[in-house]
Amino acid sequence: MKLAPWRRLKSSLGIESEKGGPDLLEPEELARWYAGLDLPQRLAVSRELASRVRAPRVSRDIAALPAVATGRLVFEQDGPRGPIPLHHVKVELWDRDLGTPDDFLGEGFTDAEGAFEIRYDPADAGEGDVPDLELRYFEPQHTFRQDGRVEESWRRIGSERGPDDHGGLHHDFGTVRVPYWEYDPATPLARLLVVEEGTPPTAYAPGRSLAMLKAVAPIELVKRQHLLQGRLGQAPSLAKIQADYPEATTVRLERESPGSTRGDAYFGERLLNGMFSAILDRDPEAPGDAQAFRIYHPWNAYEQDGIHCLPDVDVRLRLVEGRLLPVRIILGLREPGATAPGSPVTRRSFTPGDGADWEAAKRMARVSATLDTELGNHLGQCHFNVEQYAIAANRNLRRNPLRWLLMPHLREVVLINHAASGFLVGPTGYITRASALTERGINQRLEHLMGSYDWKGFAPSNPVCEGHRYAQAGQLFWRLLGEHIDAFFAEHGAEIEAQWKEVRRFSDDLVAHSAPAFVCRYLRAKVPGKDAPWFVRSERMDLDTKAAEPPPKAVSAVTHTDTPQAGEVEALKNLCRYVIFFATFRHAWANNLQWEDAGEVLYACLGLRWGPGGTLPTEEDLDVAPNPDEATEMLWISWMLSKTNYGLLLSNEEEDLHPRLLELLRTHAAEFAAMGLDVRTVSSRINI
């Protein structure tokens, strides 16, 4: 190997030999230096030296090679019409060797039906060696260069052992079933199948574990100490638990201005711009009044544990001099201990003139909003919603450039969701233990939520007032995503259309595995086919279509054909915009404000217990508050969610994001900051 190019490269990279010599690096040094380079530097080294360290392959006519290996790759689980082909997968044929490196024999790709044919020369196994055949298969990876060009690579995902000492000129591997991104048949939702003690077919980026440790280490021992004290019968008070954690936003504001976070103005502000930000419908009982709004949480529809009090919550609000203020809260209260869905309720209405009862009703509404946010805005609409697109994309997008656009925003979501399935929900999950909903009630609520999410027709709602910063930021982020996606399709639209069969299969998987569309009885009676100007339609699925019987699937199809029809490319662009919006902006808003809005146990929690003092106790009645174990877990979770940051859009740690999107966001960073969003805190994907 000539050393002059390496000397020049060493100089440009600022590398000095540890031995002090001008030219020579020992093999160990070389490996260490190379491992410490970033991706652009490694690519530079490879381009400079590859031709000198790899023996040149003799050009030859592949079709004339004497031997051939054939077969077909399919998914492990069959579809309604039998085996499902694993299309456009890279396959390599190797000779296995013991004690020496394996020998590469040939390569190819599966076709649209999963079939492959690899021609090879048995002599490539080495002199005197009869090939021991092995099939290896790979999935594509990519990075973006600063000029927007793509660098492709391949990651091995599995192998199939063939015959030893194969002396023939043909071998058929047959139908090879690959357990790759399989759907879980045990759930009505589109969830990834991960067997007990198994792992998903992907992994977190290495930096994510460091970010988690850095965020959680300061409070991990605090939580452990609290739990240990509880097991020893010496549980700390809620005040002590709260004081042991970093000071939460509401605690600080109360210290600076007592009563400020419990006032009506702060209540309305957090519904506009806090973690609780939600769709604000007009008040249907005040037709034509543009200043009147409503938020409704129908908890009585679900099974409850009889321990916690979780009424239906109907909040009426009004814009007064630019501020959103609550004017009436209607609670649909069950009898203590009632557990069945649809239990009889007593409706009680509270207004600001009701003193302590009004404050207690607002607290109940905050608890309701916290649970609705965690199950809806956060876990359902972001985590589980994006997972269904991640599974379908990983199963189907390989040749289509759409993969370069979507995959950076779909990586890792199935990993964090797999953890959430036991950590937050499930029989022992925190939400199950800390809220009124039973495991069955949570599952039904999530199924109803997933049955109401669709990309088609989605657009962020308009701001309801000048101070509606969340909606303003959402509108701006949505517009920039539109510009980014339009430019991407201008660059790659021809190839996206050429590989439309992958889009069709992506769409088919999405629709087939999405939840049945869910429209509650109230909306069925009030909205489909009717003039309902109070109902915000832009962020919801088309109820006129989805209210049909039997219920259609919640997710709409992009296409039904292998070539795009009129309007389908635009539909695909809208789907991409929707997915990226929820994987980035919407998740950041719901997740990053956890400590700000759910960092004080007595201000907001997932559930209040029935207590001896009645159904509307004050904060001083600790019998209804979370128990010490649940309190410390709540604070730990809120801190962990808000403070663990890795995979940020503008950091682009994996270099898989198109630089155009980063530039768009940087250019508008000041505008986002004025709306309360530090765009540097928005992640590129859901991994927490």
Side-chain angles (χ1 to χ4, degrees):
M1 164 178 161
K2 295 180 180 179
L3 292 175
W6 175 238
R7 285 202 303 270
R8 291 197 301 271
L9 193 60
K10 277 204 307 176
S11 176
S12 68
L13 296 176
I15 297 174
E16 296 294 340
S17 172
E18 292 181 3
K19 303 298 185 184
D23 295 326
L24 185 63
L25 282 177
E26 297 298 326
E28 295 80 5
E29 288 182 82
L30 185 61
R32 190 160 58 251
W33 282 119
Y34 184 80
L37 302 178
D38 60 22
L39 181 63
Q41 291 173 322
R42 294 199 304 273
L43 291 172
V45 170
S46 298
R47 285 190 291 270
E48 180 73 19
L49 300 182
S51 62
R52 294 171 172 80
V53 299
R54 292 176 181 164
R57 276 193 172 273
V58 178
S59 178
R60 52 186 176 176
D61 182 4
I62 300 298
L65 295 179
V68 62
T70 59
R72 186 184 185 214
L73 299 188
V74 299
F75 286 95
E76 178 74 25
Q77 296 182 11
D78 288 346
R81 292 182 292 276
I84 304 171
L86 255 170
H87 58 263
H88 304 160
V89 172
K90 183 182 180 184
V91 288
E92 294 181 354
L93 188 66
W94 287 73
D95 164 46
R96 296 186 309 275
D97 281 322
L98 182 63
T100 60
D102 295 343
D103 297 302
F104 173 78
L105 301 178
E107 64 183 359
F109 286 86
T110 62
D111 64 16
E113 298 309 313
F116 64 87
E117 177 182 290
I118 303 174
R119 300 205 70 87
Y120 68 101
D121 186 347
D124 287 342
E127 185 175 354
D129 187 6
V130 180
D132 304 323
L133 297 183
E134 182 171 280
L135 183 72
R136 300 174 183 177
Y137 23 96
F138 301 79
E139 66 180 7
Q141 310 280 291
H142 80 273
T143 57
F144 274 106
R145 298 177 64 174
Q146 286 304 308
D147 59 5
R149 286 186 293 169
V150 175
E151 297 277 359
E152 291 263 40
S153 60
W154 298 92
R155 186 174 79 94
R156 182 173 167 180
I157 57 174
S159 61
E160 180 74 9
R161 189 184 180 97
D164 293 337
D165 297 326
H166 180 68
L169 296 181
H170 177 261
H171 176 68
D172 184 4
F173 280 88
T175 298
V176 179
R177 291 186 175 271
V178 182
Y180 185 67
W181 289 92
E182 304 289 346
Y183 286 98
D184 187 346
T187 171
L189 308 182
R191 300 295 311 279
L192 183 72
L193 174 62
V194 182
V195 299
E196 188 174 358
E197 302 304 324
T199 57
T202 184
Y204 288 118
R208 193 262 189 188
S209 60
L210 299 179
M212 171 70 80
L213 184 62
K214 182 177 179 180
V216 174
I219 62 168
E220 180 71 18
L221 292 180
V222 172
K223 182 187 74 169
R224 292 185 186 183
Q225 182 180 27
H226 293 162
L227 295 177
L228 178 59
Q229 289 174 315
R231 285 195 291 271
L232 295 174
Q234 302 168 5
S237 68
L238 293 189
K240 178 66 167 63
I241 290 172
Q242 189 74 56
D244 285 346
Y245 281 89
E247 187 175 50
T249 300
T250 51
V251 174
R252 175 180 57 81
L253 292 175
E254 283 298 307
R255 175 172 53 78
E256 295 171 350
S257 179
S260 58
T261 65
R262 273 56 172 178
D264 293 355
Y266 193 80
F267 180 93
E269 161 64 19
R270 301 321 290 169
L271 290 179
L272 278 180
N273 299 314
M275 178 184 88
F276 314 123
S277 302
I279 299 172
L280 290 169
D281 287 316
R282 303 289 177 177
D283 188 341
E285 296 178 7
D289 188 345
Q291 309 302 310
F293 298 90
R294 182 197 194 193
I295 293 175
Y296 180 59
H297 300 149
W299 299 117
N300 193 48
Y302 305 101
E303 182 180 82
Q304 298 185 18
D305 62 7
I307 300 170
H308 295 85
C309 175
L310 183 62
D312 287 340
V313 175
D314 187 349
V315 182
R316 306 301 171 96
L317 305 116
R318 187 169 188 80
L319 278 175
V320 179
E321 298 179 351
R323 296 191 303 174
L324 187 69
L325 301 176
V327 294
R328 185 158 58 111
I329 297 174
I330 305 159
L331 302 180
L333 292 153
R334 297 178 172 194
E335 290 297 314
T339 62
S343 292
V345 298
T346 301
R347 301 201 177 276
R348 296 182 60 188
S349 181
F350 304 90
T351 64
D354 289 328
D357 282 350
W358 173 246
E359 296 303 320
K362 282 193 300 182
R363 184 190 186 195
M364 189 68 73
R366 286 198 301 270
V367 169
S368 175
T370 305
L371 181 59
D372 183 68
T373 296
E374 298 298 4
L375 287 178
N377 298 354
H378 190 202
L379 190 60
Q381 198 170 35
C382 293
H383 282 255
F384 290 168
N385 187 23
V386 171
E387 178 175 357
Q388 64 184 340
Y389 292 89
I391 299 173
N394 277 283
R395 286 170 62 90
N396 295 290
L397 301 180
R398 278 177 281 279
R399 285 185 181 171
N400 199 301
L402 201 62
R403 176 172 56 82
W404 304 332
L405 178 66
L406 287 180
M407 287 306 187
H409 307 289
L410 298 176
R411 59 183 299 161
E412 302 181 339
V413 64
V414 297
L415 295 167
I416 192 65
N417 289 359
H418 177 58
S421 294
F423 175 61
L424 290 180
V425 294
T428 60
Y430 179 74
I431 296 177
T432 312
R433 290 181 287 111
S435 79
L437 297 182
T438 63
E439 181 187 8
R440 182 184 301 174
I442 290 171
N443 289 340
Q444 186 177 23
R445 176 62 174 169
L446 287 171
E447 186 176 347
H448 288 170
L449 289 167
M450 293 294 289
S452 68
Y453 302 145
D454 189 14
W455 62 267
K456 189 173 183 179
F458 177 89
S461 298
N462 293 320
V464 303
C465 63
E466 187 176 346
H468 199 178
R469 295 178 285 105
Y470 160 72
Q472 294 164 2
Q475 292 270 328
L476 176 57
F477 205 98
W478 184 255
R479 176 171 66 81
L480 298 180
L481 286 180
E483 293 178 16
H484 167 53
I485 291 167
D486 283 344
F488 186 89
F489 272 70
E491 288 178 287
H492 303 290
E495 186 61 17
I496 289 173
E497 294 188 37
Q499 300 296 335
W500 197 257
K501 181 172 284 189
E502 290 194 348
V503 176
R504 192 257 175 91
R505 290 181 175 179
F506 169 65
S507 176
D508 286 349
D509 262 350
L510 274 174
V511 175
H513 295 278
S514 67
F518 174 73
V519 185
C520 70
R521 285 179 295 179
Y522 176 82
L523 291 180
R524 284 180 180 274
K526 298 292 185 180
V527 177
K530 300 178 177 65
D531 182 25
W534 58 271
F535 183 74
V536 174
R537 296 176 183 267
S538 63
E539 292 197 22
R540 269 107 168 213
M541 63 186 185
D542 180 1
L543 295 193
D544 291 336
T545 301
K546 301 298 184 179
E549 290 291 349
K553 291 292 189 174
V555 176
S556 296
V558 171
T559 182
H560 295 287
T561 60
D562 289 343
T563 55
Q565 306 301 302
E568 290 183 346
V569 171
E570 285 302 312
L572 180 60
K573 289 163 69 173
N574 291 341
L575 179 149
C576 294
R577 198 177 185 184
Y578 173 89
V579 172
I580 299 173
F581 182 83
F582 279 98
T584 56
F585 171 82
R586 189 67 181 98
H587 179 257
W589 203 281
N591 184 80
N592 296 0
L593 292 174
Q594 295 271 340
W595 188 248
E596 189 165 330
D597 284 313
E600 182 187 355
V601 176
L602 295 182
Y603 173 79
C605 59
L606 293 181
L608 297 175
R609 294 173 289 176
W610 292 101
T615 57
L616 288 175
T618 65
E619 289 186 18
E620 287 71 31
D621 184 355
L622 300 183
D623 289 330
V624 305
N627 64 44
D629 281 3
E630 291 171 359
T632 194
E633 288 182 89
M634 169 190 154
L635 297 180
W636 184 92
I637 292 170
S638 294
W639 178 270
M640 179 267 294
L641 293 177
S642 293
K643 305 303 180 180
T644 303
N645 295 308
Y646 184 81
L648 300 172
L649 268 172
L650 295 189
S651 297
N652 193 17
E653 293 97 337
E654 273 61 63
E655 300 181 311
D656 55 356
L657 295 162
H658 197 295
R660 181 194 309 108
L661 177 58
L662 312 184
E663 183 59 30
L664 280 170
L665 294 174
R666 289 190 183 103
T667 301
H668 293 83
E671 293 174 66
F672 281 117
M675 300 167 185
L677 176 67
D678 182 349
V679 75
R680 295 171 299 180
T681 66
V682 178
S683 295
S684 63
R685 72 272 196 175
I686 298 172
N687 62 6
I688 192 64

